[in-house]
Amino acid sequence: MRVLFTAAEIFPFAKTGGLADIAHALPKALSEHLDVVSLMPLYRFIDKKRYQIEPTGMEMTLIVGETLHTVEIFSTHYEGVEHLFVYNETLCDCEGIYGPPGGCYENNDIRFAIFSHAIVELSKRLSIELLHLNDWHTALAAPLVKDAGLKTRIVFTIHNLAYQGIFPPLSISRTGLSPHHFTLEDMEFYGSLNWLKGGIAHSDAVTTVSPSYAVEIQLPEFGCGLDGFLRLHHEKLSGILNGIDTTLYDPSGDPSLPYHFSAGRMANKSRCKKAYLEEIDIDTPELPLFIFIGRFVEQKGLDWIIDAANVIGKFPMVLSILGGGERRYEMLFDALSQQYSNIHVQIGYDESLSHRMYAAADFLLMPSRFEPCGLNQMIAMRYGTIPVVHRIGGLRDTVHPWNGKEPLCGKGVSFSEPGASGLVRAIEEAIELYDTRRTFRRIRKFDMDCDFSIRRCAQRYESLYRTLF
Ligand code: ADP
């Protein structure tokens, strides 16, 4: 089976979050059994030399609305997978993937329409049998494939329903979409055009990234206005839990770490903690170290951390935060780090630093208001860092009560009631757990032995692909 796997971001070429991780790990695992080609835009900031990305000589002229766009196809082989890249000025000459820091580009519909038209053209030229689309940035390809009369099967994965690609009706003509798609059963959404709806309507299977999230998004509370539409299509909707690349995230050999460790040899984890605390100039290695790593957006429950800061500031703990995004959060966290000596904040995106933090920490805070899957908690557990999470979406599927009877992987502290008070109680519970050294160490080891590898996830996708033929 020849598969084209497409996403707007793929690690290590371009990454803002979990989508890039999965778009790297899943094709790699799938390619052990299937003929998989990956495809993404060749953004200007991607280091072509470093990754040996070369032109293939293939050029295509695409008609997008009233405009002709020339695209060039580049390629490289990375970790055993053939990666293709689409280069076009409008799509790729940008500072960020979706926009400048904290924002988005006004012509994102045209940019990702060029990408989607290129996906369809390449599907034809490469005789693709199955097209795996990810999120709204590639969703337009689904109706375009059907309109072109191609028999290519389509799997569409929703990584986050909160981002739908909603554009004014004017966008129909400039993206080269046939106006017949502007109906209630198709892409019309409260008078606007909704790309994600198109992805759902025109795919043969729709997946989302955890079983719990697949259920939640069919409820008004989490459906972001599409719950009814998803209920209508529920027969082709399923939740497949994401996984992580356990070679990339491996505390026993991770090149970003000053010391290496494994479940059987934990002494070096304490050395990683000590080294990291020295790096951030905090001299209380005896206190539990909590970390937060993530995009600064409302989804991640940052307001609850901010509301709880006056309590956290007095607790016997250290909280170290790494992230960036919405300016208001950056300013608020900056202010908190000035006010409380046990709260440290680093604004920005730093892959290597994030690995050092996962290795150094005792606990990972993840108080997301909603969480489609979440990779941070799985990465954390791989590094012996116990997650403290809001029991929701993928967090519910991966973090189980440490004092529960079920032998489920993995274990951590969770809270159900949304808000700062639930979070504070969970932090208190984690601090108590830290003080009962034996149980703390047992859970840490248990989590490190859990299998969150992408292999299991790839097997589910492979089975799903096969049901479509
Ligand atoms: P989301 O996709 O919603 O951003 P996930 O938990 O699925 O969240 O994935 C987040 C990924 O991005 C993880 O690999 C995490 O380590 C990484 N990440 C997020 N923010 C940063 C940052 N500021 N610096 C380094 N890595 C980050």
Side-chain angles (χ1 to χ4, degrees), residues 15 18 21 249 294-295 300 322-323 348-350 358 374-376 379:
K15 170 172 167 179
D21 282 327
Y249 295 110
R295 293 178 297 118
K300 299 292 176 185
L322 167 66
Y349 188 93
D350 189 330
Y358 285 121
L375 296 179
N376 294 28
I379 303 170

Side-chain angles (χ1 to χ4, degrees), residues 164-193:
Q164 298 181 3
I166 297 173
F167 300 101
L170 172 85
S171 178
I172 299 176
S173 56
R174 63 184 207 166
T175 54
L177 181 72
S178 166
H180 79 263
H181 289 292
F182 198 62
T183 62
L184 192 62
E185 308 74 50
D186 203 331
M187 294 175 73
E188 193 271 337
F189 185 68
Y190 298 102
S192 294
L193 186 70

Side-chain angles (χ1 to χ4, degrees), residues 14-159:
K15 170 172 167 179
T16 65
L19 171 61
D21 282 327
I22 292 302
H24 157 252
L26 186 55
K28 188 171 140 185
L30 285 168
S31 65
E32 287 178 15
H33 298 113
L34 305 170
D35 178 9
V36 184
V37 182
S38 280
L39 180 72
M40 67 174 290
L42 185 60
Y43 304 110
R44 189 183 60 192
F45 55 81
I46 294 177
D47 192 339
K48 292 210 276 290
K49 212 161 153 204
R50 176 168 177 199
Y51 299 114
Q52 297 168 357
I53 300 171
E54 307 278 355
T56 59
M58 192 195 292
E59 254 193 37
M60 309 188 296
T61 303
L62 307 170
I63 308 168
V64 180
E66 315 256 281
T67 317
L68 290 183
H69 288 276
T70 304
V71 303
E72 286 171 73
I73 308 301
F74 286 69
S75 78
T76 191
H77 275 83
Y78 185 79
E79 297 191 349
V81 178
E82 183 185 1
H83 285 267
L84 295 181
F85 298 83
V86 174
Y87 177 75
N88 162 275
E89 271 180 13
T90 311
L91 170 63
C92 301
D93 283 359
C94 51
E95 186 194 341
I97 299 176
Y98 312 111
C104 53
Y105 296 122
E106 268 181 20
N107 67 343
N108 270 348
D109 57 341
I110 298 179
R111 292 180 64 226
F112 289 107
I114 296 170
F115 186 42
S116 299
H117 281 271
I119 293 170
V120 179
E121 189 54 34
L122 274 170
S123 299
K124 279 190 225 162
R125 294 195 189 189
L126 304 177
S127 311
I128 295 301
E129 294 165 273
L130 188 134
L131 185 55
H132 192 151
L133 304 172
N134 292 280
D135 276 350
W136 75 262
H137 330 106
T138 54
L140 196 70
L144 294 177
V145 161
K146 298 289 158 158
D147 289 351
L150 303 183
K151 295 278 173 286
T152 316
R153 307 292 198 274
I154 303 175
V155 173
F156 178 54
T157 299
I158 302 169
H159 294 260

Side-chain angles (χ1 to χ4, degrees), residues 72 81 123 135 138 149 154-155 196 202 206 218 228 259 265 271 317 379 396 399 408 411 417 424 446 452 456:
E72 286 171 73
V81 178
S123 299
D135 276 350
T138 54
I154 303 175
V155 173
L196 201 95
H202 297 284
V206 178
Q218 296 180 58
Y259 305 98
R265 280 192 8 251
R271 293 197 180 97
M317 63 180 277
I379 303 170
R396 175 194 290 274
V399 182
L408 298 168
K411 302 262 182 213
E417 114 208 39
V424 166
F446 181 89
F452 290 113
R456 184 190 28 79

Side-chain angles (χ1 to χ4, degrees), residues 299-319:
Q299 175 199 338
K300 299 292 176 185
L302 298 162
D303 302 284
W304 301 347
I305 300 182
I306 292 163
D307 290 347
N310 60 341
V311 183
I312 291 173
K314 291 184 206 121
F315 275 171
M317 63 180 277
V318 175
L319 171 60

